[in-house]
């Protein structure tokens, strides 16, 4: 189970990095390392039926500085 969470965390970071979602236009991080770690663990521990709520929360957190 832990291996799956680690893979999911790596995939999330890769997705965010690949889509330039980790930094704003001034190249400042839009989310702290602690918040990113917490968000990743939250996603990993969520239930499949909670996917829509989790997606909305992630989008809200990433858009809070826009």
């Amino acid at each position: 189970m832990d291996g799956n969470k680690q893979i999911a965390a790596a995939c999330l970071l890769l997705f965010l990095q690949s889509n330039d979602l980790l930094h704003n236009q001034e190249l400042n991080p839009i989310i702290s390392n602690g918040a990113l770690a917490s968000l990743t663990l939250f996603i990993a521990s969520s239930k499949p039926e909670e996917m829509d709520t989790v997606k909305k929360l992630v989008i809200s957190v990433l858009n809070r500085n826009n």
Side-chain angles (χ1 to χ4, degrees):
M1 195 89 133
D2 285 338
N4 289 341
K5 290 179 184 177
Q6 292 171 356
I7 291 169
C11 288
L12 174 64
L13 292 174
L14 180 62
F15 172 81
L16 294 174
Q17 180 71 29
S18 297
N19 290 288
D20 296 321
L21 297 173
L22 289 176
H23 299 92
N24 61 18
Q25 291 182 0
E26 292 82 31
L27 298 179
N28 296 320
I30 63 166
I31 187 169
S32 71
N33 288 337
L36 187 57
S38 297
L39 191 61
T40 302
L41 290 172
F42 172 71
I43 293 167
S45 65
S46 64
K47 298 176 184 173
E49 58 268 14
E50 299 170 338
M51 187 186 336
D52 287 335
T53 303
V54 171
K55 284 192 282 188
K56 289 177 185 176
L57 177 73
V58 170
I59 291 168
S60 176
V61 168
L62 293 175
N63 285 331
R64 73 172 191 251
N65 291 326
N66 292 338

